[in-house]
Amino acid sequence: MDYHRGIRKGFPEVIFCPGKTKEEILTIMQKLATEYPNILATRANEEIYELVKSSLPDARYHPEARAIFLEREPREKKGKIALVSAGTSDLPIAEEAALTAEIAGSKVERIFDVGIAGLHRLLPYLPKLWEANVIIAVAGMEGALPGLLAGLVNRPIIAVPTSTGYGANLRGITPLLTMLNSCSPGVAVVNIDNGFGAGFLAHMINQLAEGVR
Amino acid sequence: MDYHRGIRKGFPEVIFCPGKTKEEILTIMQKLATEYPNILATRANEEIYELVKSSLPDARYHPEARAIFLEREPREKKGKIALVSAGTSDLPIAEEAALTAEIAGSKVERIFDVGIAGLHRLLPYLPKLWEANVIIAVAGMEGALPGLLAGLVNRPIIAVPTSTGYGANLRGITPLLTMLNSCSPGVAVVNIDNGFGAGFLAHMINQLAEGVR
Amino acid sequence: MDYHRGIRKGFPEVIFCPGKTKEEILTIMQKLATEYPNILATRANEEIYELVKSSLPDARYHPEARAIFLEREPREKKGKIALVSAGTSDLPIAEEAALTAEIAGSKVERIFDVGIAGLHRLLPYLPKLWEANVIIAVAGMEGALPGLLAGLVNRPIIAVPTSTGYGANLRGITPLLTMLNSCSPGVAVVNIDNGFGAGFLAHMINQLAEGVR
Amino acid sequence: MDYHRGIRKGFPEVIFCPGKTKEEILTIMQKLATEYPNILATRANEEIYELVKSSLPDARYHPEARAIFLEREPREKKGKIALVSAGTSDLPIAEEAALTAEIAGSKVERIFDVGIAGLHRLLPYLPKLWEANVIIAVAGMEGALPGLLAGLVNRPIIAVPTSTGYGANLRGITPLLTMLNSCSPGVAVVNIDNGFGAGFLAHMINQLAEGVR
Amino acid sequence: MDYHRGIRKGFPEVIFCPGKTKEEILTIMQKLATEYPNILATRANEEIYELVKSSLPDARYHPEARAIFLEREPREKKGKIALVSAGTSDLPIAEEAALTAEIAGSKVERIFDVGIAGLHRLLPYLPKLWEANVIIAVAGMEGALPGLLAGLVNRPIIAVPTSTGYGANLRGITPLLTMLNSCSPGVAVVNIDNGFGAGFLAHMINQLAEGVR
Amino acid sequence: MDYHRGIRKGFPEVIFCPGKTKEEILTIMQKLATEYPNILATRANEEIYELVKSSLPDARYHPEARAIFLEREPREKKGKIALVSAGTSDLPIAEEAALTAEIAGSKVERIFDVGIAGLHRLLPYLPKLWEANVIIAVAGMEGALPGLLAGLVNRPIIAVPTSTGYGANLRGITPLLTMLNSCSPGVAVVNIDNGFGAGFLAHMINQLAEGVR
Amino acid sequence: MDYHRGIRKGFPEVIFCPGKTKEEILTIMQKLATEYPNILATRANEEIYELVKSSLPDARYHPEARAIFLEREPREKKGKIALVSAGTSDLPIAEEAALTAEIAGSKVERIFDVGIAGLHRLLPYLPKLWEANVIIAVAGMEGALPGLLAGLVNRPIIAVPTSTGYGANLRGITPLLTMLNSCSPGVAVVNIDNGFGAGFLAHMINQLAEGVR
Amino acid sequence: MDYHRGIRKGFPEVIFCPGKTKEEILTIMQKLATEYPNILATRANEEIYELVKSSLPDARYHPEARAIFLEREPREKKGKIALVSAGTSDLPIAEEAALTAEIAGSKVERIFDVGIAGLHRLLPYLPKLWEANVIIAVAGMEGALPGLLAGLVNRPIIAVPTSTGYGANLRGITPLLTMLNSCSPGVAVVNIDNGFGAGFLAHMINQLAEGVR
């Protein structure tokens, strides 16, 4: 068995843009595009997209997720991932997670603008959360949302701390620590601002729940 | 005006025991007892109490709060402070806060064993919380309780992080950071495990609300 | 009882601007303005204000507090909050706290340019501090001002560490730690540079002291 | 729907022992035993067990996992969780994870004594890892094992950093950071030494993969 | 010129005890005693002293400073160092500083039990502080004393942070940071609990002021 | 006695520029210039100087020290401070220290481009170091210079860590820690990049050594 | 023996550019060029190079290594250093290491684009790694590459953490800690992004292996 | 080629004792002793040794290095490693490094009780240092010794920070950071207190210099 082929079966190839010039990104995308139908480039800006589009005209740009993607063989969106986030500033990370999971073939239900400070807005969504296979919870500031959800819903929760906040937020270290110390079990954490990682892992779990391994 | 006399008007004298020998603590208590009717010695153990009692037989010991106190002129308990805490391990800090406020002359309502992980146990207490002038919220682990309360009750919240937890809890640094980053305003924070400081400040606010300055 | 309505009773709606585009801020303000008479947008710059003003001409800008506000139903300023700060660089945070409390309906007495380094300037203000219901103390650098005040005045002190300083100041972590370790009780701390949070909490306490809950 | 009942459906009740006296632990276990058939008390020592056994004679002790458990209604072990760990010192955490998942009803395959330093011992286990629904990877020291596995196997990986190590290991902070920064996606992290949390979450995912929600 | 001989001219030889067995300490002291008249062994306990005394009967023990010393050629105590400290728990560090400076030949004036929390106790000592050549200020908790003194007295201040405190005190890191960020110039800082270093440096400055280099 | 007047006797008034607008700086300088002959504004750039000069034509700018100063009554330069520094990047901090001490009335001997990496360049300066009353040692990177000097010269050493370096230098935290842990006594430390504080304190000690208090 | 001359025998003179103006860099290079044939200026940009070239026309620029160098007496490239790195973003640091070692006289074999996430790409290079005298391993993100190599190859490994990454990468602190905690012995670590230091040390070891001291 | 066999060619098998029971250690040693002639167990105490000796009577104990070792096929000691250390408290780590290298087959020259504070004791050893192939420098406190040596000797330096010190030493983090920031190239660092790792790596380099790969 060729393990390497296997581990990315069906998942799009991914490029993490920061630290690369736009020319390097284009070169990598062109090369991948000869082999793979679906490609995702995260943390990209419009300027990079302009260059990429000139060479790969079917590439698209998702401005909120700050991602360029090529989706020549769209996959059927299956199962259900609930994506919960609190504030406007967390949207780019949340959308990066959503786009990642969707391109990979998962259905994503966005539940935005709910947070620990507005419990009355969150509670009505509980039935929807129980319908999902897995939950992604994105939160900055104090980062208490995933732990709160873990006490309300019996599903795996992928927690994404964001660098939204100031002062003692320490660029996301505070919500990261909060999430790691959750009183309720059922929460696991990815790196600060790592929407892609959360989307990838949630898709894996969603697939398993839909009977695909 | 003699400001120094004024600032402790009515409040018991206080001794912080760690770093002092039991003989030193006894000497300080004996000296204070000649001048002040009410004295509080925090973070004391039974061994210290045995020594103190032999010389000051009306001294009492509160084992959960780990405090020795002399209350020769008990003050009427006025107003209302709600004291909320989550876990068994946070009890010593919560009781230290309660005892401090009670000796100083505040009525304290204890609401224990409620936390972010058990929202269904917390919510029924909301009417009681709205009746209080001020809330003390004691929490270790992820420390999300004060921020949650701030979104539910319109009262000043004194947050006390505790060193309850392990690993990335960092001996209370995590709940401290969580509380400082609360999304909901209305929360202020005292030092880790500082039950005394929270009780003192809550009493001050409770007094103001009862018309005493 | 509708808790959510209750918790913001009389307090203006608040927008925290960083991490939002000026268009997003305008949209939120326009929406809130149809429902609430008083709105506060903190950490705003003049450029945002120019856009907001074009649509909401009665919005005003407070350049020192870096805040846009709409005050269509000004509330009577009651009670007294003393606002103490040391250096010129702490003024934006101090003014943010003042404006927040004033819009909410508290009288604020500013005592600026006093600090631990100039005790002879601070001491003459003691009578004024004793007249207040609650004190906000804003300090960067070493952050010793709130602890000093707590030994001189018998009032609740809301301490606001600022990121003013350099080197081992660690962007406000040092004054934050100093304030949390205050020897004198009566001090509680909000996040670094969180003038809004301090103003909000001080207003709550001031209201209680004036008999409003 | 009674969400609270639902979220622990089938999962044993759990007690975290540190910070509680053995008498408190016994009292909690006795009370829970009247209502629930399966109970797990983690981070317990033999001394606690001796006391518990005197009152609950069918309680058992797992010395490696340092856990007391009552399993009056054993659940069928379904699906497959692969549990990978490197060193002898990580065994208590690994066994805590295993016991947690097994009591909850998951089959666990232990793959011990493999690590990044001994690639030749790890590689032969790849087929077994591909058979699992989900992987728990326990590692101290540098904590590179989960990231290595994520490049070899297409399954969700729950990474558990342990406090095994010294010096710049910083009591587990180093493997925690390593795991959060994994180059390969598919990894999420729980708190340092949190074997229970990893076992709980892995069981949740394993259940989903077996068609149970 | 033999620089090495010169740099310790007149100063006693010093042994830092932690990390050495009592036998090692005795051996070092015996060897030094054949060459030097005055020897200081810091952070020693009574047990070490018992052993040392059996071989060097004129060695003495200072229990508060936790130091063993041999002073066969006592030096005249000249000039004046003011030693200011706040709490009972800081006494061992303060006495270590005092003993160090006294054996080296400086006069030390102890001003204990004054601190930022009790300004009314500190202010009467100002004339005495102005009479000194140099000030040592020892403080734990928030560590604000040296900065306060620097605004009141025109003398070099050697600040010694102590590990007295708890929680966010971080074993002395907080007062260390506070002292480094002092608004008033004239303060320099030594390591946490380094009474010896402060006494040594203050003696150097005191000597210079008395015309000795 | 008027302590406040006394504490700055003869020392120029000082303005720390960062966090102030150039207009604010001008206003403060103009106001101080009506009362004091000598003024120092640190961390200033040429743009601020252009504005200041237009109103105070006798103000001068020291580009390496990045300081504006007014010296209408120059003081005689007395005694001797040795100022030692290693690299080109530490020069601004070193020159800030020198200018501060010189305006205050101390003679400063600069010994630049010597460091722990070039012992052969440092050793020839030892006689000059022994002639000084006090030494300022400025160092970034590993910050070992002050500790090395303390083993070679019997004089008080004011150590100034600088933020020169990268990576694990942590913006000056590393040399700060190194200096605080110096094996040789006689070293005290000021804040990172605090050339002004070092110059001020060294001048105080130099004055004492010259018989001025 | 003149130790100073000896310690740089044959090695080019080196200038670290950050913190110096381009004029200062030129002056230093001109001065060194009168005495030494080979000079290396690291962390330089094209703008600096343009200025240097105008005066030293045989200076060359290596854009990937971001280095200016003068190589008037090229040394024979001997022995073999294997240089392994994972991602595109680590290339500048890797090339800085390579250039440093090459100018000094070592042969360098570059093995790029291999990492812990792509074991199948790394393993085919093992024979080449065994042929080298010493290995430089450059890695950002989780920094696990050097520890992995140490379990596969019996050669000294110089590990270079890079600041490539985000969030909990902490600007390179995470890979630094990972490398220091390597389970496999044989690894030593240089500062974050210190390609020059790694190249220098690897050359030293390579020389020793080739019989040169 | 069997890489795994190759990487430990000639090196004794090693057991790190902390975190293992004495029974586990004995079992591992017994098993290894059937296959390998030379075994090293580090961080062992006398109690472990007593047990081991009862079963493996030719096992020996090195009390300063705190190591048990079996050396049934002693290897010829070749080449030269210079081992430099400063204080008495660093001896256990230094001896652990020495023993490791000696069992592996390197000659080790110990140069103890020299440090940055006593330059006059260090300088006479320079000729001996130049004779070595590689240097191990062990230092606690400020950790400046390796950087000082790198400016004096042209040899690879393996730096070992120790946890000797107090306060701002941060259990060895300070010397670790100092060593990583060394101004002089030629230094690489291993984990705090990792004498074994330093001895292993130095032996590797010494072997290469003696023509063995």
Side-chain angles (χ1 to χ4, degrees), chain A residues 5-26:
Chain A
R5 281 274 137 182
I7 61 165
R8 289 293 175 271
K9 196 177 44 178
F11 201 86
E13 292 296 303
V14 180
I15 303 154
F16 180 71
C17 294
K20 303 194 179 73
T21 64
K22 56 185 179 182
E23 287 76 19
E24 286 174 338
I25 294 163
L26 176 60

Side-chain angles (χ1 to χ4, degrees), chain G residues 65-85:
Chain G
R66 299 167 308 169
I68 302 167
F69 61 106
L70 206 64
E71 200 180 13
R72 288 174 175 166
E73 297 179 7
R75 319 190 69 196
E76 189 193 348
K77 313 307 180 213
K78 291 188 181 161
K80 184 156 151 202
I81 297 169
L83 172 63
V84 187
S85 112

Side-chain angles (χ1 to χ4, degrees), chain F residues 44-46 60-69 91-92 95 99:
Chain F
N45 55 32
E46 295 235 20
R60 277 180 291 158
Y61 185 63
H62 189 307
E64 280 178 322
R66 298 169 306 170
I68 302 169
F69 61 105
L91 275 186
E95 285 292 349
L99 183 62

Side-chain angles (χ1 to χ4, degrees), chain E:
Chain E
M1 176 174 185
D2 176 348
Y3 291 121
H4 183 61
R5 281 274 136 180
I7 60 163
R8 286 295 175 271
K9 196 176 46 179
F11 202 87
E13 292 296 303
V14 178
I15 303 153
F16 180 72
C17 293
K20 304 193 180 72
T21 65
K22 59 184 179 183
E23 289 75 20
E24 286 173 337
I25 292 163
L26 176 61
T27 307
I28 301 174
M29 283 199 78
Q30 285 171 323
K31 200 173 127 200
L32 288 174
T34 62
E35 243 188 298
Y36 304 95
N38 299 341
I39 302 173
L40 178 65
T42 63
R43 310 274 170 97
N45 56 32
E46 296 235 19
E47 195 187 330
I48 299 173
Y49 174 56
E50 289 307 316
L51 181 69
V52 168
K53 198 174 52 174
S54 68
S55 162
L56 295 166
D58 55 345
R60 276 180 291 157
Y61 186 62
H62 189 307
E64 279 178 324
R66 298 169 306 169
I68 303 169
F69 62 104
L70 206 65
E71 200 180 13
R72 288 170 175 169
E73 296 179 7
R75 317 190 72 197
E76 190 194 345
K77 312 308 179 213
K78 290 188 182 162
K80 186 159 148 200
I81 296 170
L83 171 63
V84 187
S85 113
T88 316
S89 328
D90 299 329
L91 275 187
I93 305 304
E95 286 292 349
E96 182 183 298
L99 184 63
T100 301
E102 286 171 343
I103 290 184
S106 282
K107 195 181 292 175
V108 176
E109 168 127 19
R110 287 157 176 82
I111 302 173
F112 288 170
D113 202 20
V114 297
I116 185 174
L119 208 56
H120 63 291
R121 280 199 300 271
L122 173 63
L123 295 179
Y125 287 104
L126 281 182
K128 278 191 183 300
L129 292 168
W130 279 84
E131 285 165 29
N133 288 316
V134 53
I135 296 169
I136 299 173
V138 180
M141 303 287 287
E142 66 203 295
L145 182 61
L148 182 69
L149 291 173
L152 294 168
V153 192
N154 184 21
R155 290 293 175 279
I157 295 173
I158 312 302
V160 191
T162 70
S163 50
T164 301
Y166 61 94
N169 178 280
L170 305 175
R171 298 170 183 259
I173 293 294
T174 289
L176 169 62
L177 291 171
T178 306
M179 292 167 182
L180 287 167
N181 283 279
S182 171
C183 295
S184 298
V187 178
V189 189
V190 297
N191 196 0
I192 298 163
D193 292 336
N194 190 3
F196 164 69
F200 185 100
L201 181 56
H203 166 69
M204 259 191 184
I205 297 172
N206 186 42
Q207 263 191 321
L208 283 170
E210 297 297 309
V212 187
R213 289 210 304 196

Side-chain angles (χ1 to χ4, degrees), chain A residues 61-139:
Chain A
Y61 186 63
H62 190 306
E64 278 178 323
R66 299 167 308 168
I68 303 169
F69 61 105
L70 207 64
E71 201 179 13
R72 288 173 175 168
E73 296 179 7
R75 319 189 70 196
E76 189 193 347
K77 313 307 179 214
K78 290 189 182 161
K80 184 157 150 204
I81 297 170
L83 171 63
V84 187
S85 112
T88 317
S89 329
D90 299 329
L91 275 187
I93 305 304
E95 285 292 349
E96 183 183 297
L99 183 63
T100 300
E102 286 171 342
I103 291 184
S106 282
K107 194 180 296 175
V108 176
E109 168 126 20
R110 288 158 177 82
I111 302 173
F112 288 170
D113 202 22
V114 298
I116 184 173
L119 208 55
H120 62 291
R121 280 200 299 271
L122 174 62
L123 295 178
Y125 286 104
L126 280 181
K128 280 192 179 298
L129 292 168
W130 280 84
E131 285 165 28
N133 288 317
V134 54
I135 297 169
I136 299 173
V138 180

